[in-house]
Amino acid sequence: MPLPKYIVRLTEEERTELEDLSRTGKRAASVLIHARILLKADVGDGGPGWDDERIAEAVECGASTVYRVRRALVEEGLAAALFRKKPTGRQYRKLDGAQEARLIALACAAPPEGRSRWTMRLLADRLVELDVVDTIGPECVRTTLKKRTQAVVAEAMGDPPQANAEFVCAMEDVLEVYTRPHDPACPVVCLDEIGKQWVAETRTPLPAEPGQPERVDYEYERRGTANLFMTFEPLTGQRHVTVTDRRTAVDFAEEVKDLLEVRYPRAEKVVLVLDNLNTHKPAALYQAFEPAVARSLIDRLEIHHTPKHGSGLNRAEIELSVLSRQCLDRRIPDADTLTREVAAWEQARNANPRPVNWRFTTLNARIKLKRLYPSIQSG
């Protein structure tokens, strides 16, 4: 079977950026090569639309490099295609999601009879015995478990600096907000955002039939990008998702205006928890609206920012994670489809609300995260 073909269709802005990059030459050689690959692979208006072999010959690289750059653009965006980091050190095989889940469940279970604990070798052998994989080494088991452990820690708290007063001040401020009881006149709302690439099928998939799974063609193409704002009220379990073309300061201001005037028109003040993205500032409202309108909106806000390197404290990230797994983890070709699918997901989630039972308090933080607090030297 041929390798999947990732179709490159650049926007006018992307094409201009790549042409400027190639013209100035003030980047690493690999970045310039990737830029030239994308320009020659472009099938948009005026693009040459060359095949992989011709591109590889023109830019003097391997066809596999052209393939990887195409794939990175379609799946992850322009920045990933240009600045893809090369793997370092020895590479081990990777397990898929189902295999990782079986490994983690096995590692958490009781060890074999006659053993006090699991070893990497025992886990590897047991995975083969259970037909989870055909073959696997102890080092692959170790790196997989290490990666999953680090992911859990990073998702919970990011990578906070040690003994940092600014971090703990912002952390305790947000933790105090989460201890407040529900007040309809002053609701606590968390806001965050995520990007999504439009990826379209070039041929209509054949539906599943008895004895035959769904058949999807190997060729698909990137159609652009969208931004999704997530607002989530953790004490009621209600969420709202807005799809926009971009995520500028003006888009953020429009989302805040809609939050105050449409979704919470009767609230005296909305307590808004945000991360430290450069557009998440009250000044954005002055970029979008007349001063009187901006001021009236800001007067109805009580803003609290999560600490830098601690955006996991924003509870909207929980819902973005669920949205990504349940709705966005597939090819979505355009804005209309994305908006329709996200609206259906939102309606179903809100029909069965699940409030967040937040238990991590300031007292817990001062004990469990003592290393983050500055040391006070007495007298």
Side-chain angles (χ1 to χ4, degrees):
M1 179 178 292
L3 290 173
K5 182 178 179 181
Y6 297 85
I7 298 175
V8 174
R9 192 183 303 276
L10 300 174
T11 65
E12 185 176 346
E13 290 182 358
E14 290 172 337
R15 191 178 300 112
T16 301
E17 180 182 347
L18 293 174
E19 288 173 348
D20 291 343
L21 187 63
S22 300
R23 190 179 304 114
T24 58
K26 296 181 179 179
R27 286 286 187 177
S30 61
V31 175
L32 298 178
I33 290 175
H34 291 186
R36 293 175 60 199
I37 289 172
L38 294 174
L39 287 170
K40 294 185 181 301
D42 181 22
V43 299
D45 296 339
W50 288 4
D51 59 31
D52 288 7
E53 289 74 17
R54 188 177 178 186
I55 295 172
E57 182 179 355
V59 302
E60 298 180 348
C61 70
S64 60
T65 299
V66 179
Y67 168 78
R68 288 196 299 271
V69 172
R70 285 181 179 271
R71 182 179 62 185
L73 179 78
V74 171
E75 295 183 347
E76 302 176 60
L78 183 60
L82 286 175
F83 305 105
R84 174 70 66 183
K85 293 182 179 179
K86 295 182 179 180
T88 57
R90 184 178 177 185
Q91 300 300 303
Y92 298 93
R93 66 165 291 174
K94 293 183 179 179
L95 303 180
D96 62 27
Q99 292 169 336
E100 279 192 0
R102 292 291 298 276
L103 171 58
I104 293 170
L106 188 61
C108 294
E113 189 172 333
R115 294 294 190 110
S116 62
R117 61 183 178 85
W118 287 102
T119 65
M120 300 301 108
R121 171 62 67 182
L122 282 174
L123 288 169
D125 292 343
R126 184 55 59 89
L127 287 176
V128 175
E129 292 172 8
L130 296 174
D131 290 328
V132 177
V133 294
D134 294 330
T135 179
I136 188 173
E139 184 61 19
C140 177
V141 172
R142 186 191 69 80
T143 55
T144 301
L145 292 176
K146 180 180 179 181
K147 179 188 70 173
R148 298 308 304 162
T149 302
Q150 290 174 338
V152 170
V153 174
E155 184 177 354
M157 289 299 297
D159 185 18
Q162 301 291 316
N164 186 285
E166 184 178 354
F167 181 93
V168 297
C169 178
M171 176 182 67
E172 291 200 355
D173 177 57
V174 173
L175 292 178
E176 184 278 326
V177 169
Y178 289 154
T179 63
R180 299 180 188 181
H182 176 56
D183 181 2
C186 193
V188 174
V189 179
C190 301
L191 186 152
D192 205 352
E193 58 200 62
I194 191 174
K196 172 63 179 176
Q197 295 214 112
W198 299 325
V199 178
E201 308 282 359
T202 58
R203 297 176 64 186
T204 303
L206 300 177
E209 300 173 352
Q212 178 69 57
E214 180 185 27
R215 284 154 288 176
V216 180
D217 192 76
Y218 65 83
E219 182 176 298
Y220 48 96
E221 66 176 300
R222 173 178 176 263
R223 290 283 182 84
T225 58
N227 176 66
L228 296 92
F229 284 107
M230 167 72 72
T231 52
F232 176 56
E233 189 177 352
L235 293 180
T236 64
Q238 295 294 306
R239 76 276 300 143
H240 178 77
V241 183
T242 303
V243 179
T244 62
D245 293 333
R246 302 174 300 172
R247 58 172 185 176
T248 64
V250 172
D251 295 303
F252 168 73
E254 294 284 359
E255 177 67 13
V256 171
K257 186 174 187 289
D258 185 76
L259 173 72
L260 293 171
E261 296 185 349
V262 178
R263 282 169 267 161
Y264 294 95
R266 299 182 180 178
E268 297 175 4
K269 193 176 285 286
V270 171
V271 181
L272 192 59
V273 178
L274 304 166
D275 62 18
N276 286 276
L277 194 66
N278 61 346
T279 57
H280 293 175
K281 307 294 181 184
L285 296 166
Y286 282 92
Q287 291 181 241
F289 310 117
E290 294 293 329
V293 176
R295 189 72 256 166
S296 66
L297 294 172
I298 291 173
D299 287 342
R300 292 185 57 208
L301 289 174
E302 180 186 328
I303 296 177
H304 299 263
H305 285 99
T306 60
K308 293 180 181 179
H309 310 291
S311 61
L313 287 169
N314 187 340
R315 295 299 86 196
E317 288 200 356
I318 293 177
E319 286 302 305
L320 285 178
S321 176
V322 176
L323 173 64
S324 297
R325 296 195 309 271
Q326 294 183 349
C327 180
L328 303 181
D329 189 20
R330 52 181 163 152
R331 301 177 190 175
I332 298 180
D334 51 52
D336 290 340
T337 305
L338 179 61
T339 302
R340 184 174 63 252
E341 294 294 322
V342 167
W345 174 87
E346 176 189 319
Q347 183 177 6
R349 283 288 280 181
N350 285 337
N352 183 25
R354 298 187 179 184
V356 174
N357 183 14
W358 187 261
R359 298 182 180 181
F360 192 73
T361 64
T362 299
L363 182 59
N364 298 140
R366 292 174 181 174
I367 296 173
K368 296 182 178 181
L369 302 178
K370 184 178 180 180
R371 69 187 186 282
L372 303 181
Y373 286 76
S375 177
I376 307 300
Q377 303 295 331
S378 57

